[in-house]
Amino acid sequence: MAVAEVSTERKWFRLSSSDRENLDGYLFILPWLIGFFGLTLGPMVASLYYSLTDYPLLSGATWVGLANYRELLSDRLFPTALRVTFVYSVSSIPLGMSLAILLALLLNVRIRGILAFRTVYYLPTILGGVAVSLIWMLLFSANFGLFNWLLELVGIQPVRWLTSQRWALWALVLMSLWGVGGSVIIFLAGLQNIPAHLYESAKIDGANTLQEFRFVTIPQLTPTIFFSLVMGIIGALQTFTQSFIMTGGGPNNATLFYVLLLYRNAFQYFRMGYASAMAWVLFVIILVLTLMVFQSSPMWVHYEASLRGGRRG
């Protein structure tokens, strides 16, 4: 009788092979699920709630509804931070992508030592934001910086890069090109995936180098450009470290990025509810711009598989 009960219990806990595979899969992704719900989704839901409250951080939260969002409309620094962030994004993203494509073309050759060159261009991307900011502060120094030294060599007066309201933001745009190595590797991979027969066909048709670049390289790179554009928008709109370390948002709010203003409200003024509202506004802005890029992609992003399908039709 006891043996029968034990065998029944064993059958009860026996799993089929598919069930075991499913269980193994859930166990493998369990750390990610814990991280997602505990460190991503959970804080997002909490911030959405706090955005509807007056939460001074050092005391309890008080429900105020949409008051934080209405206050944003009257905050004189809110449009300033948006303008600075958008000017930076519109300037740095095209410049970074253009330089990345140019460097990828130069590195997409078969010569001795090309791997070393590719490594050198990628290395700056592994440095941390604070360390990079400190290095660029030295380069932009008005008294002994490298850039002013180069300007003096050609007879141009030194520029107050980080203390001039006119030049501070453009100095940060120039600095953004430092991390272009990551995009270079992505574009290099895209270039190496372009079929060689397309260039051979273009040469047979009499295309020169510029025509090959325009009618073969760029269309075939559009999926990579699309990916880099989306990631560039997401990254540029969240710029923080450069302004926080190098300029503190100055001079005269010339480099007051949106996330820096959010940080001030959260951790300097202890207005966590207001900062949460700012975070959700930024989330909506990034979401809308990303969706716009996705919606426009069928008009300018070309995939080889879809092109083949169109030829069959």
Side-chain angles (χ1 to χ4, degrees), residues 87-97 170 172-173 176-177 232 236 239:
V87 169
Y88 174 84
S89 302
V90 171
S91 304
S92 63
I93 294 174
L95 280 175
M97 292 178 60
W170 300 112
L172 298 186
V173 171
S176 69
L177 301 178
T239 302

Side-chain angles (χ1 to χ4, degrees), residues 228-248:
S228 297
L229 178 60
V230 171
M231 299 306 295
I233 291 173
I234 296 173
L237 291 179
Q238 299 181 80
T239 302
F240 168 75
T241 305
Q242 300 93 310
S243 177
F244 180 71
I245 297 295
M246 300 174 64
T247 63

Side-chain angles (χ1 to χ4, degrees), residues 97-169:
M97 292 178 60
S98 300
L99 181 61
I101 293 174
L102 175 61
L103 292 176
L105 289 170
L106 294 176
L107 295 174
N108 189 33
V109 294
R110 297 180 179 274
I111 60 174
R112 174 178 289 184
I114 192 62
L115 294 179
F117 281 103
R118 293 172 182 173
T119 303
V120 167
Y121 277 103
Y122 179 76
L123 280 177
T125 63
I126 67 176
L127 295 179
V130 175
V132 171
S133 298
L134 294 175
I135 292 173
W136 279 85
M137 285 181 68
L138 296 175
L139 295 176
F140 284 130
S141 173
N143 298 321
F144 51 84
L146 175 64
F147 290 107
N148 278 342
W149 177 74
L150 294 175
L151 291 177
E152 289 179 350
L153 290 181
V154 294
I156 300 177
Q157 293 296 321
V159 175
R160 296 183 296 112
W161 294 99
L162 299 179
T163 58
S164 168
Q165 186 175 345
R166 177 183 179 184
W167 294 105
L169 182 59

